[in-house]
Structure formats: C-alpha cells, structure tokens
Amino acid sequence: MISVNDARTQLLALVRQLEAETVPLAEAAGRVLAQDVVARRDQPPFSASAMDGYAVNAAEVERHAMFKVIGEAAAGHGFQGRVGAGQAVRIFTGALVPDGASFVVIQEDVSRTGDLITITSEPGANSNIRPRGGDFLAGQTVSSPRLLTAADIALLAAMNIPSVPVTRRPEVALISTGDELVMPGDTPEADQIIVSNTFGLKAMLDGLGARARILPIARDTRSALRTAFELAEGADLVVTIGGASVGDHDLVADVAADLGLQRSFYKVAMRPGKPLMAGRMNTAAMVGLPGNPVSAMVCGQVFLAPMIRAMLGLPTTEPAFQTARLAKALPANGPREHYMRAQLDAEGLQVFDNQDSSLLTVLAKANALLVRPPHDPARSVGEMVRYLPI
C-alpha cells in the first residue's frame, strides 16, 4: 500500500492540462479561463455622472450660488454644447458629463425656478462624477487560469469581450460494475441493489467542471467489461467503480491489463478507500474505485477532484484543510489515514458514530470529513483537528 499523498502525486502525473477552446461569453460561467484576456475599452468610457443633479463648473460651487440651466444630459443622450460660467446642465445618472463641467450638484441640494437653480445645501467635496477609466482601462488584463464566476462574466462583458478562451471540459467515463446492480427506476431482484455511486460521482465531477457520462452497468464478465471500456473510448479519464479488489468476481484489473493498462499503483493506506487502483490506458487516465458507495465518494473528493483541477489548469496544491474544535472524544486511529464523516455545527466537529462505508445516509448528513493521520493518538473534546469541507 502507498500513502494518500503518494497516491495523489501519482494520479496527478497521469493527467495534463487540456487544450483551450473558445466559447461565447454567455456560456463561459463556471469554465476556466485558459488564456489572459485584455479589456478593449475604458470603463466608464467617459466621465459619467454618478447622481441625478446639475452639472456645473466646480470652481463656482458654493451654497447660495445660482446657475442658468441651458440643457439636459441623460444616459445615452449627451449634451452637445459646453457649460460656461454661471451655467448648468440638468444631468442624470450615467450620462456623459458635458465639456466645461467638473461637478454634479445632486438634485436634493438644489431649488429650481424655471431655468434658474440655486444651491440650497452645502454641496460637499465629492464631485459625484465617475472618471473615465475609473473601473478599468483598455489593455487591462484578466489573468488565467481563473474559474469564471458571474461577476467575472459581467466584467468581461463590460470589457467588450464577446467570446472567451476556456479550457476544454475533461470528459469522464463512469463505469459501475457488478451483477448485483440495477439502474434507478428498474426493478431489482431479491439479491440486487440500486446503483448509486455513478450518479453521486457524476454530480460531483460535473460540479468541478468536468463532463461526466454514465455508461451502462458492466456485468461480472470479461466480455461485458471489454464492452464498457470500448464505450469509454475518447474519455480523458475512465473511472470504474467496484470490481477492483481481489475476489473471484473482481475482473477489472485483469481486463484493463489485457487492454493495455499501465498500472501505477494498487491499494492506498486510507479508510475508506483501500482497494484503489490507477494507471494509464492508452490516452486516458484510469482510476478503479472501490464499490462501497461512501468509499467511492470519499475517493472522489480526495483523488478525482485534484485530477479534474489539473486537467482544467487550476492549482493542485494540498487539500484546503481547515481546523475546528472536536465536539466528541475519539479513540486512537489505526495504521491508515482515516476520512471520517462528520458534521460541523456551533458545538464543533461532531463525528458520526457509525462510519460504515455503505451508509449513504450518514454521508448525506455530513458536511465535513475529519482527517486523521495514521496512528493518530486518542483525541479529547476541545482539541483542534483538521477536516475537509464537503
């Protein structure tokens, strides 16, 4: 068995950053920016009023000063003339500030009679003008790699960037194996169960930016497994669930080897998830996950997630461990790194009593994985411990 860190290192060595593709800006949210992009204009592209009011010369602004209104400026409809001494232009938020004006007196500070206005309140020092390029200037760069959020999309739109270079989504093929499995909605026999791992992993991987596809269940025969691997052709990552152990019906390793798998390792010193296998199969990385649903999902968090990030060109540093106060005492840990389902609440980190790797109800209640190193000593209430948010 190898350590979790060694397994992660070897898994990352199996993948590379994928090529870039260009997509319309409206479809770029949640994608990873693959190349730096440059603003094509200033924002705002002109000095703009930040308030509704009157545009005047700043040198003339004082309480009780009077001005003659000579025109109006609205957003998209600028005033074409020039503001001279003693003159004002009625202006609205977002409008271009006319030549000769350098201050906007807000309308609440003004009284108006016909075409004459008087500043009735202390106008303050703020000019109420947004200067040209106050947000960004033409040529300003948005650096890659960057997971594009809604705010990023708005920024790129304002920069007049209609399409964006993004990293291609990793294609992941998910293969559940076993005669005991049927799809949700089917009617299982007395000795069968509903497959859940592929659906949970698809949700996880899609959320990380991959495009995961669920292949038909591979039965416990060599021909069925061969067919499943053929259907996975073209994927960047092939993930099998179950069948990677050493039982008489665990055929994944043998069939994968027949198809050219160059195995990197088998078995990791962790709980849950010990029977983990990985390698390269032709142009794809291949990971064989254990069949227990919690084992598969935990391995997805610990191993598959950094592989997807690497393929997207995002940093793949150590997991972002956090610390919390332990709310319940724990006995000493064994020889494997243990990822324990837990719930973080106001009292601290509550570790669930039953850590059986088949219990999806416990996983669904958990919002954290308490991470215990091998041979970690007994822990008391109140001690600070490491965990991964999930």
Side-chain angles (χ1 to χ4, degrees), residues 103 308 378:
F103 195 100
I308 297 300

Side-chain angles (χ1 to χ4, degrees), residues 286-308:
M286 185 265 184
V287 178
L289 299 181
N292 275 324
V294 174
S295 301
M297 293 296 288
V298 169
C299 287
Q301 291 278 355
V302 176
F303 298 120
L304 299 184
M307 294 177 76
I308 297 300

Side-chain angles (χ1 to χ4, degrees), residues 29-302:
R31 303 294 298 272
V32 175
L33 188 65
Q35 301 165 8
D36 296 352
V37 292
V38 177
R40 298 178 176 180
R41 57 180 288 155
D42 300 337
Q43 179 69 6
F46 47 79
S47 293
S49 178
M51 305 288 284
D52 293 343
Y54 294 86
V56 299
N57 188 322
E60 300 178 297
V61 174
E62 60 181 25
R63 191 176 181 186
H64 304 308
M66 298 179 67
F67 301 86
K68 181 180 179 179
V69 180
I70 61 170
E72 183 175 289
H77 301 280
F79 176 74
Q80 300 304 312
R82 181 178 179 85
V83 177
Q87 295 180 332
V89 167
R90 178 71 166 122
I91 196 166
F92 298 92
T93 302
L96 182 150
V97 176
D99 290 343
S102 52
F103 195 100
V104 173
V105 183
I106 64 174
Q107 60 189 18
E108 292 85 356
D109 292 341
V110 168
S111 66
R112 179 171 179 172
T113 304
D115 290 338
L116 294 177
I117 62 168
T118 301
I119 299 177
T120 55
S121 301
E122 183 59 46
N126 190 341
S127 70
N128 300 310
I129 293 175
R130 297 178 179 132
R132 176 173 180 165
D135 191 1
F136 57 81
L137 295 170
Q140 184 169 324
T141 299
V142 177
S143 299
S144 62
R146 183 187 188 97
L147 183 64
L148 294 173
T149 65
D152 294 323
I153 298 301
L155 174 62
L156 295 175
M159 289 179 165
N160 198 23
I161 298 170
S163 56
V164 187
V166 295
T167 306
R168 177 172 65 80
R169 290 186 187 275
E171 297 283 344
V172 183
L174 298 172
I175 305 171
S176 280
T177 69
D179 290 341
E180 76 278 12
L181 302 175
V182 299
M183 294 291 282
D186 290 347
T187 302
E189 299 294 337
D191 56 355
Q192 290 184 309
I193 59 174
I194 308 298
V195 65
S196 59
N197 301 340
T198 42
F199 289 87
L201 288 169
K202 175 177 169 55
M204 177 191 298
L205 297 173
D206 286 351
L208 292 168
R211 183 183 285 112
R213 51 191 171 101
I214 297 175
L215 299 184
I217 296 168
R219 300 305 169 190
D220 290 324
T221 65
R222 290 180 178 273
S223 61
L225 282 168
R226 282 180 174 274
T227 299
F229 281 121
E230 289 172 2
L231 292 173
E233 186 175 355
D236 302 296
L237 173 62
V238 177
V239 179
T240 61
I241 305 103
S245 191
V246 292
D248 292 342
H249 299 283
D250 296 323
L251 305 173
V252 170
D254 287 345
V255 173
D258 291 343
L259 295 175
L261 175 71
Q262 300 174 5
R263 195 162 79 182
S264 297
F265 64 84
Y266 171 58
K267 292 187 179 179
V268 181
M270 68 179 293
R271 294 177 61 193
K274 174 183 172 182
L276 188 81
M277 177 181 67
R280 174 160 290 282
M281 181 180 288
N282 301 318
T283 61
M286 185 265 184
V287 178
L289 299 181
N292 275 324
V294 174
S295 301
M297 293 296 288
V298 169
C299 287
Q301 291 278 355
V302 176

